[in-house]
Amino acid sequence: MANIQAFRGIRYDLGHVGSLANVIAPPYDVIDREMQDELYKKHPANVVRLILNRDEPGDEQDARYARAAKFLNSWKKQGVLFEEADPAIYVYHQTFTFAGETYTRRGFMARCKLEKFGEGNIFPHEETHSAAKVDRLKLFSACEHNLSQIFGIYPDETNDAQEKLETAIAGTAPLEVTDHLGVVHHLWTVTDTKVLSEVTSCLGPKPVFIADGHHRYETACNYRDEKLATESISDDHPANYVLMMFISMNDPGMVVLPTHRLFRGIRPTSLTELESQLSSCFETERVGSGVEFADELWQEIEIENKQSTLGLYSAVDNGWLRIRINETGQSRLSEIASSQSSQWCGLGVSILHQLVVGELLGYSDLPTPKYVHDIPEVVEGIRQGDTAGRDATGQAGSNEPFQLAALVMPASVNDVRAISLQGERMPAKSTYFYPKLLSGLVLNPLS
């Protein structure tokens, strides 16, 4: 069961910082060096100094983690950060525009009892990497706080848990802040014990799927285990919990964006070569020329709405190929991914990476692709070329062209549920839940 509880969150005192806009930040893993510098300049107490403290001249190894902890403790002593008087659940709305329509995604933040993946009712859906977990564990150990929330989704056809909270906040004014992408974020504090009990009961029997924050969730488990190895902690100790945002899979504001690929390390390949290499497993069709044709092709793929239909771009011909997997391709993918379920093999990203790139084009151990989420980014990326990657010989990129791009449908929340419940994990970047959650709204103390 999903064991959740209210908690006394740590929040910014607006009397000290002036506005939430001065101190919030996107998640640490989407902050590049330029944005990091901008956030540093925005306010001396911006949360970036905690979630992604930068190296300074003369630093000893790992000094930035200790410096983050120093900032955190100083801000608490100075009253820049304060602790909530009563245990609370925090209702969190995000209003945004996508494809010309305005949505509001509703959820709430609470503590969630940690369970190791595979041993309870909390499920991952993507693979993780050890380096990121090492980094986050150093930060957890130094600061002893959850500095940002895990993103969890749960099935609730009637949105019962959320509606109880919506009733509780009706007519009350929220904290409001608009981020750098124009997304409007609203936050309410709910302390009514009856409401908290009802929401806790609603979530109890439901599974929770990690939508974003896999590394931080596993890090929270590792932090808890380190605590247990050195001291005796009660079952209700904060280290046994992690800060999580809960959003119903049935919320009308739930949007999952695609993650298209601009491939690095692939040799120049013409449309004719692609057709020859793929024709045994796919129906192929040349559909347009020019990088800008991506928009028309993607509209067609979205209307078709099948994971098995992909769009491929060849820089050699400056043209596009639409491919649809056939029965032979499905059988071949099942053979090369024999340990995976039919649902996993049916994902567009599985078809792309396992069958197209790995098996038929014959590439292994490619550099990480450039991931983009909308068609203008695809077009811009192809036109600009790769300034960060490496070419087919392994040399550092210098506006090297992306020789191959791929348009791929996103996995749905139902895909996440079905595959996760079977104990499988999707390929990396199978989903992109938009928008991202802000860091700096609420912190969760672990001691």
Side-chain angles (χ1 to χ4, degrees), residues 126-234:
E126 285 188 347
E127 297 291 346
T128 57
H129 306 285
S130 58
K133 287 182 281 189
V134 169
D135 165 62
R136 291 297 96 180
L137 183 56
K138 290 178 180 178
L139 187 62
F140 269 52
S141 299
C143 293
E144 295 190 311
H145 284 69
N146 294 144
L147 304 174
S148 53
Q149 58 280 71
I150 311 299
F151 187 162
I153 59 176
Y154 64 96
D156 188 355
E157 292 185 2
T158 60
N159 295 317
D160 189 37
Q162 189 66 39
E163 292 303 332
K164 293 182 185 303
L165 290 166
E166 297 301 313
T167 299
I169 64 172
T172 62
L175 290 175
E176 179 178 319
V177 62
T178 301
D179 68 20
H180 67 295
L181 297 176
V183 179
V184 181
H185 305 257
H186 290 113
L187 186 74
W188 293 262
T189 303
V190 177
T191 57
D192 186 298
T193 55
K194 181 175 182 295
V195 175
L196 301 183
S197 177
E198 290 174 346
V199 172
T200 300
S201 297
C202 284
L203 263 287
K206 300 182 186 300
V208 175
F209 305 94
I210 305 299
D212 199 5
H214 290 80
H215 294 98
R216 282 171 286 135
Y217 185 89
E218 291 188 25
T219 297
C221 291
N222 294 336
Y223 175 81
R224 183 266 319 271
D225 292 346
E226 284 193 355
K227 278 278 191 186
L228 288 171
T230 58
E231 61 183 280
S232 176
I233 61 175
S234 67

Side-chain angles (χ1 to χ4, degrees), residues 113-383:
K113 188 73 172 288
L114 291 166
E115 300 174 350
K116 287 189 175 180
F117 292 147
E119 297 181 3
N121 220 17
I122 298 175
F123 300 88
H125 87 276
E126 285 188 347
E127 297 291 346
T128 57
H129 306 285
S130 58
K133 287 182 281 189
V134 169
D135 165 62
R136 291 297 96 180
L137 183 56
K138 290 178 180 178
L139 187 62
F140 269 52
S141 299
C143 293
E144 295 190 311
H145 284 69
N146 294 144
L147 304 174
S148 53
Q149 58 280 71
I150 311 299
F151 187 162
I153 59 176
Y154 64 96
D156 188 355
E157 292 185 2
T158 60
N159 295 317
D160 189 37
Q162 189 66 39
E163 292 303 332
K164 293 182 185 303
L165 290 166
E166 297 301 313
T167 299
I169 64 172
T172 62
L175 290 175
E176 179 178 319
V177 62
T178 301
D179 68 20
H180 67 295
L181 297 176
V183 179
V184 181
H185 305 257
H186 290 113
L187 186 74
W188 293 262
T189 303
V190 177
T191 57
D192 186 298
T193 55
K194 181 175 182 295
V195 175
L196 301 183
S197 177
E198 290 174 346
V199 172
T200 300
S201 297
C202 284
L203 263 287
K206 300 182 186 300
V208 175
F209 305 94
I210 305 299
D212 199 5
H214 290 80
H215 294 98
R216 282 171 286 135
Y217 185 89
E218 291 188 25
T219 297
C221 291
N222 294 336
Y223 175 81
R224 183 266 319 271
D225 292 346
E226 284 193 355
K227 278 278 191 186
L228 288 171
T230 58
E231 61 183 280
S232 176
I233 61 175
S234 67
D235 187 60
D236 205 39
H237 189 281
N240 284 312
Y241 291 80
V242 70
L243 177 59
M244 188 176 290
M245 172 76 169
F246 295 89
I247 299 177
S248 167
M249 298 166 73
N250 305 94
D251 187 81
M254 180 66 74
V255 171
V256 186
L257 299 187
T259 304
H260 306 305
R261 272 71 167 161
L262 306 179
F263 283 99
R264 300 178 168 113
I266 287 184
R267 65 175 179 82
T269 307
S270 68
L271 291 175
T272 299
E273 289 176 290
L274 285 173
E275 288 175 311
S276 175
Q277 292 172 296
L278 303 181
S279 60
S280 63
C281 294
F282 291 87
E283 297 174 5
T284 67
E285 181 183 1
R286 298 191 191 195
V287 289
S289 61
V291 62
E292 65 280 353
F293 188 77
D295 185 58
E296 183 175 336
L297 176 56
W298 179 241
Q299 289 183 46
E300 294 173 0
I301 291 174
E302 280 195 303
I303 291 170
E304 191 170 323
N305 194 28
K306 291 183 179 179
Q307 292 280 324
S308 54
T309 299
L310 309 172
L312 300 179
Y313 171 82
S314 163
V316 170
D317 296 310
N318 190 27
W320 292 90
L321 200 65
R322 178 172 53 213
I323 64 173
R324 298 184 178 97
I325 195 169
N326 58 27
E327 290 185 7
T328 301
Q330 291 171 340
S331 297
R332 195 160 173 183
L333 179 55
S334 296
E335 291 173 5
I336 62 177
S338 58
S339 63
Q340 305 292 348
S341 67
S342 58
Q343 289 97 332
W344 189 96
C345 290
L347 293 174
V349 289
S350 301
I351 294 168
L352 175 63
H353 287 277
Q354 291 287 316
L355 184 58
V356 174
V357 176
E359 181 74 2
L360 301 178
L361 300 186
Y363 291 101
S364 61
D365 299 322
L366 285 175
T368 302
K370 180 174 183 177
Y371 299 114
V372 294
H373 304 291
D374 61 26
I375 296 304
E377 287 181 304
V378 172
V379 173
E380 181 182 13
I382 293 173
R383 284 178 173 162

